[in-house]
Amino acid sequence: MDANRVKPSLHFTGGCWINDPCAPGYDPTTQLYHVFYQCNPHSTNWGNMSWGHAISKDLISWAPFSTPALIPDQTYDKDGVFTGCMAPPSFSQQGHISIIYSSVCALPFHWSTPPYPRYAAGLAIAESSDGGATWSKSINNPVLLGEPESVNVTGFRDPFLAEWPAMDCLYQKKSLYGLISGGIEGEGPTTFLYSVQPNNLCDWSFIGPLVNLPNRFQPSPKWSGNFGVNWECVNFLTLGSGDDNRTCLIIGAEGDVERGHIKYSQSCPSIPPRTIRSLLWMFGNLKSNNNNNNNNNNNKPSVEYTHGGYLDCGSLYAANSFSEPESGRYIMHAWIPEEDISAGYAKEKGWNGALAIPRELFLLTIENVTRSLRSSLVEIASIDSIQQSNGLMTIYTLGIKPIQELSRFRNRFIHTHEWKDMSLSMKTLKLCSTVFPSWELQGIISINPDNCQEVSFYIRHDRDLSIYTRVEFSLHNETIRVDREKSNPDHSIRNCPEEGPFTLFYQKNPFAVEEHESLEDLHIRVISDGDILEVYANDRFALATMVYSPGYTAPMGISISVSGDPKSILVKELRVWDGVPGSR
């Protein structure tokens, strides 16, 4: 195999096509984490949708089963075993694992080619009594033949099932709640809410559409993303605790409004254009659409949008989450597509697609805020800013970070480079070279915004910077951008940029005598793993993408650069961990 085709060491991928992660969860009986994934076991192209299956003790090192867990072998799922979820373990029979999936019996279907074929995708259940080694499909399948009879849908698939205490209070009924994602023809994207009997996972009762938004809803052209015309893989979460919590939905939004930095970048005629979609989140208020709350048949709960933004600003998609029983953490898996290479390139390297490092989602609180770098707090649609009695603002938004287990993994890296309290004497400074395809960078940088326009890291670069990838934070644009233009001289690879909104906040110490405000530090984290690149900032920004760099067998440089006065930044801490054994 070509030395440039290096399989990732920190990310899971298969020797075939893989896409959506399915049914992530934890089995208390075996104390193992599970993740399934849609795959084509026989090719690096999409098709023959089945479920692969992997298990882990730590959410980082995954052991795949040699054979698929589920294949399309029944009349009701003959055209594909599509995305699904794991039932909460406490509601499965003791020692058993139950998974729920979209059973597809008619292809093709897509929101853009109406009418959507009725009953093309139903709902089915499978169960394992041996820790996931073998699976049997329920004799009651299909649990649902398809969408509700009264609704003309643009999509109907990707079930999600969990407890939802706040919905119990609103619906006045103890239940499990299921979502099946899609949209309503002529109305807009949504997810369909079901009540599911806790003692009978085959009993799904339709309540109604959970969200009412118009097509292509986009409350902010910069900060929120476009919510599209059809939804996939919608999950619900309750973030925070007590009275200080938020109802959150994570959403795969399909649409036809492409982001400008992709739409207007140079096209690559040898490969198809990217699928237009975004991975988004929204906060919303739970409410009842009927005043007669004593009549459960007419009480239609819904979630009313309040705030929202990008869950990931790159190509990441098809997120699926679960609540870890003991810690209460919400852990999310998602798929990193490979849409910037040809089918031949994927076939040559032997795999197509990967799962991102699992992330923790939480309610992030930032106190004593006065303003952002440039945008007014009111126009930043991805934050809920509440004024306190002292006149300062408390900000609430979605917190996003890699699971903490990844940090404990660092002792497996071979080399470590470290800098502290470093000032720059030149605009660009080479820091080190990485000699392995897998490495991680983490830094804390103090910035003087009066004399600094951009802070960048040039990574995976050669000696003369003719080949590089640049991770750039622009203070003026309030964006983090991954510039891939010079990442590879191969013109058959699409190297459009990836970009998303991000700003820093000024804060005041409410107990200080002088009313002085200071800008929060930039906390940057970059994870490079073969072709995969993940970028995080300040626990509220994430961007995952593929960067096809040449030269994995030679040292590749990491440099820091400043646009403006080099002394306008202070590198308080910076570390690079290089090389997981076996990552050559």
Side-chain angles (χ1 to χ4, degrees), residues 399-426:
I400 311 164
K401 62 184 178 183
I403 54 170
Q404 62 187 15
E405 285 84 348
L406 183 63
S407 297
R408 297 201 292 265
F409 197 77
R410 287 171 179 161
N411 60 8
R412 302 189 194 181
F413 284 86
I414 295 172
H415 304 299
T416 302
H417 308 271
E418 184 174 353
W419 302 263
K420 282 192 174 183
D421 297 325
M422 179 178 67
S423 297
L424 269 63
S425 58
M426 58 187 72

Side-chain angles (χ1 to χ4, degrees), residues 90 109-111 130-131 134 161 198 217 244 250 260 278 312 339 361 373 377 391 429 475 492 531 561 563 573 578:
S90 57
F109 51 66
H110 196 258
W111 65 265
D130 54 12
T134 60
L161 181 69
F217 175 69
D244 192 12
I250 59 177
S278 294
D312 189 278
E339 293 189 300
L361 304 180
L373 281 169
L377 298 182
L429 174 67
L475 284 75
S492 67
D531 293 334
S561 181
S563 176
E573 295 181 20
D578 180 25

Side-chain angles (χ1 to χ4, degrees), residues 131-303:
T134 60
W135 295 87
S136 59
K137 296 178 181 179
S138 172
I139 60 173
N140 297 313
N141 286 343
V143 172
L144 295 176
L145 288 173
E147 65 276 10
E149 292 183 8
S150 58
V151 183
N152 292 322
V153 302
T154 56
F156 187 79
R157 55 189 178 275
D158 310 335
F160 176 79
L161 181 69
E163 295 180 272
W164 198 349
M167 186 63 78
D168 282 342
C169 294
L170 187 66
Y171 194 48
Q172 298 186 359
K173 180 179 180 180
K174 179 67 176 176
S175 179
L176 288 173
Y177 294 94
L179 300 182
I180 301 181
S181 303
I184 300 176
E185 184 67 41
E187 296 186 22
T190 193
T191 183
F192 301 101
L193 178 65
Y194 283 77
S195 172
V196 182
Q197 290 297 322
N199 59 355
N200 182 5
L201 298 179
C202 295
D203 188 352
W204 287 55
S205 300
F206 180 54
I207 298 174
L210 184 63
V211 181
N212 180 21
L213 291 178
N215 283 321
R216 305 172 185 87
F217 175 69
Q218 187 165 0
S220 167
K222 179 183 179 73
W223 295 97
S224 68
N226 189 289
F227 282 81
V229 297
N230 189 76
W231 285 353
E232 300 182 291
C233 302
V234 179
N235 293 192
F236 61 81
L237 307 82
T238 301
L239 304 178
S241 60
D243 295 332
D244 192 12
N245 64 59
R246 299 292 187 279
T247 294
C248 179
L249 302 181
I250 59 177
I251 298 161
E254 295 185 298
D256 52 12
V257 179
E258 185 59 279
R259 291 170 288 173
H261 60 276
I262 297 174
K263 180 179 180 180
Y264 298 113
S265 64
Q266 185 175 358
S267 63
C268 186
S270 63
I271 53 177
R274 281 189 176 187
T275 306
I276 300 177
R277 57 194 174 200
S278 294
L279 182 55
L280 308 177
W281 63 270
M282 64 172 268
F283 288 166
N285 292 326
L286 270 176
K287 67 173 193 174
S288 171
N289 292 329
N290 190 297
N291 291 326
N292 182 12
N293 289 335
N294 292 321
N295 186 345
N296 287 333
N297 293 325
N298 295 322
N299 185 16
K300 302 294 184 183
S302 65
V303 175

